[in-house]
Amino acid sequence: MSLPDYAKQGYKDIIAVLEGAVLTITINRAKYRNTFVNSLWSDLLHVFDLCDRDDRVRVVILTAEPTAPAFCSGADISGGWARLWKEEAEKEGEHAHRDSGGVLSMTIYRCRKITIAAVNGHAAGVGMTGLQLPFDIRIVWGGAKLTFPFVRRGIVPEATSTYLLPRLIGQSRASSLLLTGATVSPDFPLIRDLYHEILPTREAVYPAAKALADELAANTSQLSVAYTKGLLQHPGNSVEENHLLDSRAMKLLGSSKDGAEGVLSFKERRLPKFTGTLSKDSSPWYPWWPRVDVLHRKAKL
């Protein structure tokens, strides 16, 4: 199996660079305030599907050039909403439409690697929803202007944000942000808990994200990360059911070579050297939940 060269994927609106076990994806539409268009959606969909299945990748960072006017200023709606609907969905009725931001959000959310959003600029609309909420960790510039403007644009919050945001910051805070459409700063009480770190300059955001990514890539187990994300995202319907799930996961990983290395490195007082990979060492039991295909196509490794 040939391994992907991210620099040769022919992306139009992103730059993807793999350094060691960290993949950095940079939104490359500064001239257009990094607005969200179909080509950006397609690039991001492809690269997240690709890195999910690439064992070399342990951490993924999404960011923008710090000189860009915005991290992502939302969807390009200059042509109106109708152009966002797929032709086949229009023929089949409104029930057939699938929000492209939601497809991307779910693709990022189900990525089995650690994902970090390095938000080094202003963010609106999908720049807040699909490009932040499905990530595991978010680091932000303290001077950024942030908004969920949907009710002020005559539509609803998209990209699965009404599912994710209440689970991240609570129902009350999410309701205030989504129903007012207010523009806030990262340290605003309603939203500050969304962020792992708030930094004083936009230039500091990516280096902080990269330092964290390098440390995590070196010292975490790829299998442990994937199974832990699975337990967080797909817990049991009761505490007893969740107990059964984490018990089985504990037995499987505790009996794995990464589990043995975790114990040995602890005894020897050294950093671990985890070698387990998802493609070779994952149990047939994982995933334990039904998978729904929202992508309809796969990037080739």
Side-chain angles (χ1 to χ4, degrees):
M1 178 179 64
S2 59
L3 296 172
D5 183 341
Y6 291 89
K8 296 181 179 180
Q9 294 299 314
Y11 296 128
K12 179 181 178 181
D13 289 331
I14 64 171
I15 299 170
V17 178
L18 180 63
E19 294 181 286
V22 177
L23 179 69
T24 296
I25 304 165
T26 303
I27 303 171
N28 191 32
R29 285 178 52 79
K31 181 180 177 181
Y32 306 98
R33 298 186 60 83
N34 287 335
T35 49
F36 190 81
V37 293
N38 189 64
S39 52
L40 176 58
W41 172 79
S42 181
D43 285 353
L44 290 172
L45 206 62
H46 184 279
V47 75
F48 272 97
D49 180 50
L50 194 62
C51 68
D52 172 67
R53 296 179 293 115
D54 185 350
D55 286 337
R56 297 174 302 171
V57 178
R58 291 180 178 266
V59 184
V60 187
I61 303 171
L62 177 68
T63 193
E65 288 290 343
T67 57
F71 170 71
C72 175
S73 55
D76 178 2
I77 60 171
S78 58
W81 300 119
R83 71 175 188 80
L84 301 178
W85 318 144
K86 291 184 178 180
E87 182 180 348
E88 56 270 26
E90 285 295 290
K91 291 178 180 178
E92 297 174 27
E94 67 267 14
H95 68 279
H97 174 63
R98 296 294 178 267
D99 166 46
S100 60
V103 173
L104 176 61
S105 186
M106 286 186 284
T107 300
I108 297 170
Y109 188 69
R110 72 182 187 181
C111 179
R112 296 169 294 175
K113 314 302 172 61
I114 296 172
T115 56
I116 301 174
V119 185
N120 54 353
H122 309 305
V126 70
M128 287 298 304
T129 58
L131 300 187
Q132 290 195 50
L133 302 186
F135 285 77
D136 300 314
I137 296 169
R138 289 157 292 275
I139 297 174
V140 67
W141 166 44
K145 296 178 181 179
L146 312 173
T147 181
F148 299 91
F150 305 100
V151 297
R152 296 174 183 263
R153 299 291 181 269
I155 55 168
V156 298
E158 36 63 87
T160 71
S161 57
T162 51
Y163 177 89
L164 292 174
L165 190 60
R167 286 161 175 78
L168 290 167
I169 62 173
Q171 185 78 26
S172 178
R173 293 184 180 91
S175 294
S176 294
L177 290 168
L178 295 178
L179 293 176
T180 65
T183 297
V184 299
S185 60
D187 60 359
F188 189 62
L190 294 178
I191 203 170
R192 63 189 176 199
D193 289 346
L194 184 65
Y195 295 101
H196 176 83
E197 193 171 5
I198 301 173
L199 297 173
T201 66
R202 59 172 62 189
E203 292 80 12
V205 172
Y206 175 72
K210 183 61 162 57
L212 177 61
D214 286 338
E215 192 278 324
L216 294 174
N219 298 302
T220 60
S221 160
Q222 188 174 106
L223 292 166
S224 295
V225 165
Y227 280 57
T228 300
K229 290 184 68 167
L231 288 166
L232 285 166
Q233 295 173 5
H234 303 278
N237 293 319
S238 65
V239 68
E240 293 85 2
E241 188 177 333
N242 205 74
H243 167 62
L244 297 178
L245 291 173
D246 64 38
S247 293
R248 186 166 183 180
M250 186 68 184
K251 172 62 171 65
L252 288 169
L253 294 190
S255 303
S256 71
K257 59 185 179 183
D258 275 6
E261 169 61 11
V263 172
L264 185 61
S265 61
F266 175 77
K267 288 181 177 179
E268 296 179 351
R269 298 184 180 182
R270 60 171 174 79
L271 295 176
K273 296 179 180 179
F274 295 119
T275 58
T277 62
L278 286 164
S279 67
K280 296 178 181 178
D281 302 299
S282 186
S283 165
W285 173 68
Y286 174 90
W288 54 84
W289 62 93
R291 296 291 296 270
V292 177
D293 180 18
V294 298
L295 192 58
H296 304 304
R297 60 184 174 86
K298 283 190 177 293
K300 293 181 180 179
L301 278 176

